[in-house]
PDB file of all heavy atoms in Angstrom:
ATOM      1  N   TYR A  82       5.564  -1.030  -2.995  1.00 97.00           N
ATOM      2  CA  TYR A  82       4.593  -0.547  -3.980  1.00 97.00           C
ATOM      3  C   TYR A  82       3.388   0.040  -3.255  1.00 97.00           C
ATOM      4  O   TYR A  82       2.828  -0.604  -2.367  1.00 97.00           O
ATOM      5  CB  TYR A  82       4.167  -1.701  -4.887  1.00 97.00           C
ATOM      6  CG  TYR A  82       5.332  -2.415  -5.542  1.00 97.00           C
ATOM      7  CD1 TYR A  82       5.762  -3.652  -5.088  1.00 97.00           C
ATOM      8  CD2 TYR A  82       6.015  -1.821  -6.591  1.00 97.00           C
ATOM      9  CE1 TYR A  82       6.843  -4.298  -5.677  1.00 97.00           C
ATOM     10  CE2 TYR A  82       7.102  -2.452  -7.193  1.00 97.00           C
ATOM     11  CZ  TYR A  82       7.513  -3.691  -6.734  1.00 97.00           C
ATOM     12  OH  TYR A  82       8.581  -4.325  -7.307  1.00 97.00           O
ATOM     13  N   ASP A 106      16.173   0.607  -4.990  1.00 94.00           N
ATOM     14  CA  ASP A 106      16.029  -0.566  -4.130  1.00 94.00           C
ATOM     15  C   ASP A 106      15.399  -1.679  -4.952  1.00 94.00           C
ATOM     16  O   ASP A 106      15.076  -1.473  -6.119  1.00 94.00           O
ATOM     17  CB  ASP A 106      15.220  -0.240  -2.859  1.00 94.00           C
ATOM     18  CG  ASP A 106      13.820   0.228  -3.184  1.00 94.00           C
ATOM     19  OD1 ASP A 106      13.097  -0.522  -3.863  1.00 94.00           O
ATOM     20  OD2 ASP A 106      13.455   1.340  -2.761  1.00 94.00           O
ATOM     21  N   CYS A 107      15.214  -2.832  -4.337  1.00 95.00           N
ATOM     22  CA  CYS A 107      14.824  -3.979  -5.148  1.00 95.00           C
ATOM     23  C   CYS A 107      13.388  -3.909  -5.655  1.00 95.00           C
ATOM     24  O   CYS A 107      13.007  -4.715  -6.501  1.00 95.00           O
ATOM     25  CB  CYS A 107      15.111  -5.288  -4.428  1.00 95.00           C
ATOM     26  SG  CYS A 107      13.981  -5.629  -3.113  1.00 95.00           S
ATOM     27  N   SER A 108      12.597  -2.923  -5.184  1.00 97.00           N
ATOM     28  CA  SER A 108      11.248  -2.807  -5.760  1.00 97.00           C
ATOM     29  C   SER A 108      11.308  -2.365  -7.228  1.00 97.00           C
ATOM     30  O   SER A 108      10.314  -2.464  -7.946  1.00 97.00           O
ATOM     31  CB  SER A 108      10.364  -1.868  -4.929  1.00 97.00           C
ATOM     32  OG  SER A 108      10.949  -0.618  -4.755  1.00 97.00           O
ATOM     33  N   LEU A 109      12.472  -1.898  -7.690  1.00 97.00           N
ATOM     34  CA  LEU A 109      12.633  -1.543  -9.111  1.00 97.00           C
ATOM     35  C   LEU A 109      12.583  -2.787 -10.003  1.00 97.00           C
ATOM     36  O   LEU A 109      12.248  -2.699 -11.181  1.00 97.00           O
ATOM     37  CB  LEU A 109      13.975  -0.824  -9.344  1.00 97.00           C
ATOM     38  CG  LEU A 109      14.103   0.593  -8.795  1.00 97.00           C
ATOM     39  CD1 LEU A 109      15.515   1.110  -9.061  1.00 97.00           C
ATOM     40  CD2 LEU A 109      13.071   1.523  -9.419  1.00 97.00           C
ATOM     41  N   SER A 110      12.943  -3.911  -9.416  1.00 97.00           N
ATOM     42  CA  SER A 110      12.969  -5.147 -10.190  1.00 97.00           C
ATOM     43  C   SER A 110      11.598  -5.815 -10.087  1.00 97.00           C
ATOM     44  O   SER A 110      11.294  -6.500  -9.124  1.00 97.00           O
ATOM     45  CB  SER A 110      14.069  -6.047  -9.629  1.00 97.00           C
ATOM     46  OG  SER A 110      14.026  -7.278 -10.272  1.00 97.00           O
ATOM     47  N   VAL A 144       5.091  -8.367  -7.919  1.00 98.00           N
ATOM     48  CA  VAL A 144       6.050  -8.551  -6.811  1.00 98.00           C
ATOM     49  C   VAL A 144       7.440  -8.098  -7.254  1.00 98.00           C
ATOM     50  O   VAL A 144       7.742  -8.031  -8.445  1.00 98.00           O
ATOM     51  CB  VAL A 144       6.157 -10.026  -6.348  1.00 98.00           C
ATOM     52  CG1 VAL A 144       4.887 -10.504  -5.685  1.00 98.00           C
ATOM     53  CG2 VAL A 144       6.526 -10.945  -7.496  1.00 98.00           C
ATOM     54  N   CYS A 145       8.293  -7.782  -6.297  1.00 97.00           N
ATOM     55  CA  CYS A 145       9.695  -7.552  -6.643  1.00 97.00           C
ATOM     56  C   CYS A 145      10.333  -8.914  -6.897  1.00 97.00           C
ATOM     57  O   CYS A 145       9.796  -9.937  -6.468  1.00 97.00           O
ATOM     58  CB  CYS A 145      10.412  -6.777  -5.546  1.00 97.00           C
ATOM     59  SG  CYS A 145      10.782  -7.740  -4.071  1.00 97.00           S
ATOM     60  N   SER A 146      11.456  -8.919  -7.600  1.00 96.00           N
ATOM     61  CA  SER A 146      12.019 -10.200  -8.034  1.00 96.00           C
ATOM     62  C   SER A 146      12.408 -11.093  -6.861  1.00 96.00           C
ATOM     63  O   SER A 146      12.503 -12.295  -6.996  1.00 96.00           O
ATOM     64  CB  SER A 146      13.213  -9.968  -8.956  1.00 96.00           C
ATOM     65  OG  SER A 146      14.203  -9.257  -8.243  1.00 96.00           O
ATOM     66  N   MET A 147      12.639 -10.492  -5.675  1.00 95.00           N
ATOM     67  CA  MET A 147      12.989 -11.301  -4.507  1.00 95.00           C
ATOM     68  C   MET A 147      11.762 -11.698  -3.710  1.00 95.00           C
ATOM     69  O   MET A 147      11.866 -12.459  -2.749  1.00 95.00           O
ATOM     70  CB  MET A 147      13.921 -10.510  -3.596  1.00 95.00           C
ATOM     71  CG  MET A 147      15.266 -10.224  -4.227  1.00 95.00           C
ATOM     72  SD  MET A 147      16.028  -8.837  -3.369  1.00 95.00           S
ATOM     73  CE  MET A 147      16.434  -9.652  -1.838  1.00 95.00           C
ATOM     74  N   GLY A 148      10.610 -11.172  -4.053  1.00 96.00           N
ATOM     75  CA  GLY A 148       9.378 -11.528  -3.367  1.00 96.00           C
ATOM     76  C   GLY A 148       9.160 -10.827  -2.038  1.00 96.00           C
ATOM     77  O   GLY A 148       8.314 -11.236  -1.255  1.00 96.00           O
ATOM     78  N   MET A 149       9.934  -9.766  -1.768  1.00 96.00           N
ATOM     79  CA  MET A 149       9.772  -9.065  -0.480  1.00 96.00           C
ATOM     80  C   MET A 149       8.610  -8.085  -0.519  1.00 96.00           C
ATOM     81  O   MET A 149       7.915  -7.889   0.464  1.00 96.00           O
ATOM     82  CB  MET A 149      10.999  -8.226  -0.145  1.00 96.00           C
ATOM     83  CG  MET A 149      12.306  -8.939  -0.177  1.00 96.00           C
ATOM     84  SD  MET A 149      13.625  -7.739  -0.507  1.00 96.00           S
ATOM     85  CE  MET A 149      13.562  -6.802   1.004  1.00 96.00           C
ATOM     86  N   TYR A 150       8.459  -7.405  -1.663  1.00 97.00           N
ATOM     87  CA  TYR A 150       7.431  -6.366  -1.778  1.00 97.00           C
ATOM     88  C   TYR A 150       6.405  -6.814  -2.804  1.00 97.00           C
ATOM     89  O   TYR A 150       6.754  -7.481  -3.783  1.00 97.00           O
ATOM     90  CB  TYR A 150       8.044  -5.049  -2.263  1.00 97.00           C
ATOM     91  CG  TYR A 150       9.109  -4.493  -1.393  1.00 97.00           C
ATOM     92  CD1 TYR A 150      10.381  -4.260  -1.891  1.00 97.00           C
ATOM     93  CD2 TYR A 150       8.839  -4.192  -0.059  1.00 97.00           C
ATOM     94  CE1 TYR A 150      11.375  -3.724  -1.090  1.00 97.00           C
ATOM     95  CE2 TYR A 150       9.825  -3.660   0.756  1.00 97.00           C
ATOM     96  CZ  TYR A 150      11.098  -3.427   0.232  1.00 97.00           C
ATOM     97  OH  TYR A 150      12.059  -2.899   1.040  1.00 97.00           O
TER      98      TYR A 150
HETATM   99 CU1   CU B  22      12.799  -7.319  -3.225  1.00 68.59          CU
END
Side-chain angles (χ1 to χ4, degrees):
Y82 306 104
D106 61 57
C107 74
S108 55
L109 289 177
S110 175
V144 292
C145 74
S146 61
M147 294 160 72
M149 307 155 68
Y150 301 122

